[in-house]
Amino acid sequence: MELRARIADLMPRARDELTELVELRSVADARQFPPEECERTAHWVEGRFRDLGFADVHLEETADGSQAVIGSRPGTDPTGPTVLLYAHYDVQPPLDDDAWRTPPFQLTEVDGRWYGRGTADCKGNIVMHLAALRALGDDLAVNLKLVVEGSEEQGTGGLEAFVPDHADLLRADTILVCDTGNAAVGVPAATVSLRGMVNVVVTVEALTSELHSGMFGGAAPDALAALIAMLATLRDSAGNTTIAGLDNTQTWTGQPYPPEQFRTDAGLVGTATLIGSGSVSDMLWARPAVTILGIDCAPVVGSASSITPKAAARLNLRIPPGMAPERARDALVEQLVTAAPWGVNVSTETEAVGEPFRAATDGPAYRAMGEAMLEAFGQPMASLGQGGSIPLCNVFADTYPDTELILIGVEEPQCLIHAPNESVDPQEIATMALTEALFLQRYGTSPR
Ligand SMILES: [Zn+2]
């Protein structure tokens, strides 16, 4: 039987398996859900891959206490390439229970989509791996390795710390990072670019204490007004991020993000317009973007008629590939200090710095993936960017500089990952499983 037909036959089983996985409330935060839920999920994953020939599959504890499922399976050609399959079994918390139209931990079909926490991110990708491997059977040249981590959504970095310390265990010619998805259902894509980020807290001090705004206002420097003036220099009137020394004119050459779709995805209110002088994809994936995450000052209710002596803001700067985070942080701080009016004291604290990521797309695995997507979807593979960061990709790239990293998966925009009413399109699971199977077949026999 042909692979496509075999995967179609395997879909009822994929649904049963995803149902079992969604029932396991594997939020990797003991304050919210019992840790046994994660443990059971890890063992569930371990068992399924053992049945598929990963004889050495086992759990490894990582630095943050989470357990990663790790294993391997030799191919029929010992000289063949090695592919590491990645996914994560932990999920985001359900958030607002009342906002869910179906029970978050019960797979429920509505209008052909499967709803439930983790149906897409990332349990849908685990089921995709299982369906692809079952459809292929044992006749596969590539050597397989597996890592399914247990704390991706927490940002506690368990696997990020584990990889460099166990470099040989996970070493591969190609890593399939299956935790992203297509631009839309049925439109195949690989994610080739991730933004980096810098978080900075800036504090402004102008006075030793609050002052009566009637007695002192007009001559005394106001820390909040100073902070606002400084923050205002970070964008121009069109909404472009303007930080001296950071290029804000780069353009995105991959798949564009249609503005109408972005308007809907982002939920703009009636008269609000998109910002920036570039296209949506330029603004999201090719240019720096600063966001004010929070401001410390008097709240409206409870504020007095007084001048603010001290104010602070927490800033998040996203940067595209090619921009060094430390240099971007320095440019941001420099501009804030330079823009500070009235001789106020300015201090800054760097909270976090993350590198951007760009995938190399000129290797044999990318070629094989492009062919597999074309055959599975009947359309060529597009290149997408993603505005967020996946720190693990930088760890993989640093640890294995010659390894090809390919970011794919079942998480398209309609999935609403990380939000209430997460769902997956079962056809995406089927077609992506077919893609993965075709890729593994082709890559195993392709010249390297
Ligand atoms: Zn994920």
Side-chain angles (χ1 to χ4, degrees), residues 88 121-122 152-153 179 411:
H88 62 85
D121 179 16
C122 186
E152 195 276 337
E153 303 291 9
D179 192 17
E411 302 164 25

Side-chain angles (χ1 to χ4, degrees), residues 199-230:
N199 278 0
V200 168
V201 175
V202 54
T203 304
V204 174
E205 218 171 351
L207 299 164
T208 50
S209 77
E210 271 87 1
L211 291 177
H212 190 290
S213 64
M215 288 170 71
F216 296 94
D222 173 335
L224 181 56
L227 178 64
I228 290 168
M230 291 153 63

